Amino acid sequence: MTELNLPILDLSQLDAGPDAAAQFRDDLRAATHDVGFFYLTGTGESAELEQRLHRAARGFFALPEADKLAIENVKSPHFRGYTRVGGERTQGKVDWREQIDIGPERPVVSDPDAPDFARLIGPNLWPAAQPELREVVSEWHDHLSGVARKLLRAWALSLGAGENYFDEHFGEPSTLIKIVRYPGTEDPTPQQGVGAHKDSGVLTLLWVEPGKGGLQVERRDGATGEWHWVDAPPVPGAFVVNIGELLEYATQGYLIATKHRVISPTYPDDRISVPFFFNPALDKRLPLIELPADLAAHARGVTQDPANPIHALYGENALKSRLRAHPDVAELHHPELVAARAASA
């Protein structure tokens, strides 16, 4: 562990010979068994691509409000597009951020017998005033998809499975890119940029604007066993990586999905971040990994939280998350789903 509170791993070790690759896999398994979060360097994206992404993000949020609201997510049954400040909730509380959500570009599912989670499938909403956003997001998506697949193959081997274990069970990945801006607040007490939560899928790669803090990760004190929040400031040239609930489920708690949150910056400062979520196809289940005996002995079981059930089928987990985070979109486009969930609560 470093003074940064999270381990730092270098992905390029996987290409530095058998010994270095084996050490990386051991470190990867340890980081996600003990913490669920780590910094990842050596991912190979160019500084030019990072700069273009940063400029595009800043450019989008600098658009006139009318241009952003032209693609507001209430116009998308698929939870895509722009969310104004205050338009998202975590644990029922308002998050102080604005963002654009971008998923796989696919046609709408018109089959009336399709499962509920098929409503998440559909086209994106792109800002007409900023056509370059689509190009840079596409490049970012393709590069990080490659990084994610490389990580998952390393995880599979480190857990005693075949290298292609995740490839075989993922199908066509469900990805989501959020381009997020956290405005500064003048309140002297810390404000909820985004509330404490666990990610609902498998893997998240987070790019944070250089020099901008605010991300906090929950850690257990080794001496007292008590949980507390630690800062996870950005590291130059590194992504912050965490696993989601499905990877905890697939390993029966050997790997841990960890709560995290973002504290709003102080006005006039603000903060840009771009999380990339890499998950299975909506209709795929991740089967339980048969861990070697020495690892299985340390599996803690899946976290049991009646308010946040973990579903094996990714589509159910994803729909749960979207309905909860965007109640305005849910009420407008999917009132029967909201009513059904309220009745079963």
Coordinates of all heavy atoms in Angstrom, one line a residue, residues 32-66:
T32 N -8.0 -6.5 -5.3 CA -9.4 -6.5 -5.4 C -10.0 -7.5 -4.3 O -11.3 -7.5 -4.1 CB -9.9 -6.9 -6.8 OG1 -9.1 -8.0 -7.3 CG2 -9.7 -5.7 -7.7
H33 N -9.2 -8.3 -3.7 CA -9.7 -9.0 -2.5 C -9.7 -8.2 -1.3 O -10.6 -8.2 -0.5 CB -8.8 -10.3 -2.3 CG -9.1 -11.0 -1.1 ND1 -10.2 -11.8 -0.9 CD2 -8.4 -11.1 0.1 CE1 -10.2 -12.3 0.3 NE2 -9.1 -11.9 0.9
D34 N -8.6 -7.4 -1.1 CA -8.5 -6.6 0.1 C -9.2 -5.2 0.0 O -9.7 -4.8 1.1 CB -7.0 -6.3 0.3 CG -6.2 -7.6 0.6 OD1 -6.8 -8.6 1.0 OD2 -5.0 -7.6 0.3
V35 N -9.2 -4.6 -1.1 CA -9.7 -3.2 -1.2 C -10.8 -3.0 -2.2 O -11.8 -2.3 -1.9 CB -8.5 -2.3 -1.6 CG1 -9.0 -0.8 -1.5 CG2 -7.3 -2.5 -0.8
G36 N -10.8 -3.7 -3.4 CA -11.8 -3.5 -4.4 C -11.5 -2.3 -5.3 O -12.2 -2.0 -6.3
F37 N -10.4 -1.6 -5.0 CA -10.0 -0.4 -5.8 C -8.5 -0.4 -6.0 O -7.7 -0.9 -5.1 CB -10.3 0.9 -5.0 CG -11.6 1.5 -5.4 CD1 -12.8 1.1 -4.8 CD2 -11.7 2.6 -6.2 CE1 -14.0 1.7 -5.1 CE2 -12.9 3.2 -6.5 CZ -14.1 2.7 -6.0
F38 N -8.0 0.2 -7.1 CA -6.6 0.4 -7.3 C -6.4 1.4 -8.4 O -7.3 1.8 -9.1 CB -5.9 -0.9 -7.6 CG -6.4 -1.6 -8.8 CD1 -5.8 -1.4 -10.1 CD2 -7.5 -2.5 -8.8 CE1 -6.2 -2.1 -11.2 CE2 -7.9 -3.2 -9.9 CZ -7.3 -2.9 -11.1
Y39 N -5.1 1.9 -8.4 CA -4.7 2.8 -9.5 C -4.1 1.9 -10.6 O -3.4 0.9 -10.3 CB -3.7 3.8 -9.1 CG -4.2 4.8 -8.1 CD1 -3.8 4.8 -6.8 CD2 -5.0 5.9 -8.5 CE1 -4.3 5.7 -5.9 CE2 -5.4 6.9 -7.6 CZ -5.1 6.8 -6.3 OH -5.5 7.7 -5.4
L40 N -4.3 2.2 -11.9 CA -3.8 1.4 -13.0 C -3.0 2.3 -13.9 O -3.6 3.2 -14.5 CB -4.9 0.7 -13.7 CG -4.4 -0.3 -14.8 CD1 -3.7 -1.5 -14.2 CD2 -5.6 -0.7 -15.7
T41 N -1.7 2.1 -14.1 CA -0.9 2.8 -15.0 C -0.6 1.9 -16.2 O -1.0 0.7 -16.2 CB 0.4 3.3 -14.4 OG1 1.2 2.1 -14.0 CG2 0.1 4.2 -13.2
G42 N 0.2 2.3 -17.2 CA 0.6 1.5 -18.3 C -0.5 1.1 -19.2 O -0.4 0.0 -19.9
T43 N -1.5 1.9 -19.4 CA -2.7 1.5 -20.2 C -2.6 1.9 -21.7 O -3.4 1.4 -22.5 CB -4.0 2.0 -19.6 OG1 -3.8 3.4 -19.4 CG2 -4.3 1.4 -18.3
G44 N -1.6 2.7 -22.0 CA -1.2 2.9 -23.4 C -2.0 3.9 -24.2 O -1.8 4.1 -25.4
E45 N -2.9 4.6 -23.5 CA -3.6 5.7 -24.3 C -2.7 6.8 -24.5 O -1.8 7.1 -23.6 CB -4.9 6.1 -23.6 CG -4.8 6.9 -22.4 CD -4.4 6.1 -21.2 OE1 -4.5 4.9 -21.2 OE2 -3.9 6.7 -20.2
S46 N -2.9 7.6 -25.6 CA -2.0 8.7 -25.9 C -2.4 9.9 -25.0 O -3.6 10.1 -24.7 CB -2.0 9.0 -27.3 OG -3.3 9.5 -27.7
A47 N -1.4 10.8 -24.8 CA -1.7 12.0 -24.1 C -2.6 12.9 -25.0 O -3.5 13.6 -24.5 CB -0.4 12.8 -23.8
E48 N -2.5 12.7 -26.3 CA -3.3 13.5 -27.2 C -4.8 13.1 -27.1 O -5.7 14.0 -27.1 CB -2.8 13.3 -28.6 CG -3.5 14.1 -29.7 CD -4.6 13.4 -30.4 OE1 -4.7 12.1 -30.2 OE2 -5.4 14.1 -31.1
L49 N -5.0 11.8 -26.9 CA -6.4 11.4 -26.8 C -7.0 11.8 -25.5 O -8.2 12.3 -25.4 CB -6.5 9.8 -26.9 CG -7.9 9.2 -26.7 CD1 -8.9 9.8 -27.7 CD2 -7.8 7.7 -26.8
E50 N -6.2 11.8 -24.4 CA -6.7 12.3 -23.1 C -7.0 13.8 -23.2 O -8.1 14.2 -22.7 CB -5.6 12.1 -22.0 CG -5.6 10.7 -21.5 CD -4.7 10.7 -20.2 OE1 -5.0 11.4 -19.3 OE2 -3.8 9.9 -20.2
Q51 N -6.2 14.5 -23.9 CA -6.4 16.0 -24.0 C -7.7 16.3 -24.8 O -8.4 17.2 -24.5 CB -5.2 16.6 -24.6 CG -4.0 16.6 -23.7 CD -2.7 16.9 -24.4 OE1 -2.6 17.1 -25.6 NE2 -1.5 16.8 -23.7
R52 N -7.9 15.5 -25.9 CA -9.1 15.7 -26.7 C -10.3 15.4 -25.9 O -11.3 16.1 -26.0 CB -9.0 14.8 -27.9 CG -8.0 15.3 -29.0 CD -7.9 14.3 -30.1 NE -9.1 14.0 -30.7 CZ -9.4 12.8 -31.2 NH1 -8.5 11.8 -31.2 NH2 -10.6 12.5 -31.7
L53 N -10.3 14.3 -25.1 CA -11.4 14.0 -24.3 C -11.7 15.1 -23.3 O -12.9 15.5 -23.1 CB -11.1 12.6 -23.5 CG -12.3 12.2 -22.6 CD1 -13.5 11.7 -23.4 CD2 -11.8 11.1 -21.6
H54 N -10.6 15.6 -22.6 CA -10.8 16.6 -21.7 C -11.4 17.9 -22.3 O -12.3 18.5 -21.8 CB -9.4 17.0 -21.0 CG -9.5 17.9 -19.8 ND1 -8.4 18.4 -19.3 CD2 -10.6 18.3 -19.1 CE1 -8.8 19.2 -18.2 NE2 -10.1 19.1 -18.1
R55 N -10.9 18.3 -23.5 CA -11.4 19.4 -24.2 C -12.9 19.2 -24.6 O -13.7 20.2 -24.5 CB -10.6 19.7 -25.4 CG -9.2 20.4 -25.2 CD -8.7 21.0 -26.4 NE -8.5 20.0 -27.5 CZ -7.4 19.3 -27.7 NH1 -6.4 19.4 -26.9 NH2 -7.4 18.5 -28.7
A56 N -13.2 18.0 -25.0 CA -14.6 17.8 -25.4 C -15.5 17.8 -24.2 O -16.6 18.3 -24.3 CB -14.7 16.4 -26.1
A57 N -15.1 17.3 -23.1 CA -15.9 17.4 -21.9 C -16.1 18.8 -21.5 O -17.3 19.2 -21.2 CB -15.2 16.6 -20.8
R58 N -15.0 19.6 -21.4 CA -15.2 21.0 -21.1 C -16.1 21.7 -22.1 O -16.9 22.6 -21.7 CB -13.8 21.7 -21.0 CG -13.0 21.3 -19.7 CD -13.6 22.0 -18.5 NE -13.0 21.7 -17.3 CZ -13.5 22.0 -16.1 NH1 -14.7 22.7 -16.0 NH2 -12.9 21.7 -15.0
G59 N -15.9 21.4 -23.4 CA -16.7 22.1 -24.4 C -18.1 21.8 -24.3 O -19.0 22.6 -24.5
F60 N -18.5 20.5 -23.9 CA -19.9 20.2 -23.8 C -20.5 21.0 -22.6 O -21.6 21.5 -22.8 CB -20.1 18.7 -23.5 CG -21.5 18.3 -23.2 CD1 -22.4 18.3 -24.2 CD2 -21.9 18.0 -21.9 CE1 -23.8 18.0 -24.0 CE2 -23.2 17.7 -21.6 CZ -24.2 17.7 -22.7
F61 N -19.9 21.0 -21.5 CA -20.5 21.7 -20.3 C -20.5 23.2 -20.5 O -21.3 23.9 -19.8 CB -19.8 21.2 -19.0 CG -20.0 19.8 -18.7 CD1 -19.0 18.9 -18.6 CD2 -21.3 19.3 -18.5 CE1 -19.2 17.6 -18.3 CE2 -21.5 18.0 -18.2 CZ -20.5 17.1 -18.1
A62 N -19.7 23.7 -21.4 CA -19.7 25.1 -21.7 C -20.8 25.5 -22.7 O -21.0 26.7 -22.9 CB -18.3 25.6 -22.2
L63 N -21.5 24.5 -23.3 CA -22.5 24.9 -24.2 C -23.6 25.6 -23.5 O -23.9 25.5 -22.3 CB -23.1 23.6 -24.8 CG -22.2 22.8 -25.8 CD1 -23.0 21.4 -26.1 CD2 -21.9 23.6 -27.0
P64 N -24.4 26.5 -24.3 CA -25.6 27.1 -23.8 C -26.5 26.1 -23.2 O -26.6 24.9 -23.7 CB -26.2 27.8 -25.0 CG -25.0 28.0 -25.9 CD -24.1 26.8 -25.7
E65 N -27.2 26.4 -22.2 CA -28.1 25.5 -21.5 C -29.1 24.9 -22.5 O -29.4 23.7 -22.4 CB -28.9 26.2 -20.3 CG -29.7 25.2 -19.6 CD -30.4 25.9 -18.4 OE1 -30.6 27.1 -18.4 OE2 -30.7 25.2 -17.4
A66 N -29.6 25.7 -23.4 CA -30.6 25.2 -24.4 C -30.0 24.0 -25.2 O -30.7 23.1 -25.5 CB -31.0 26.3 -25.3

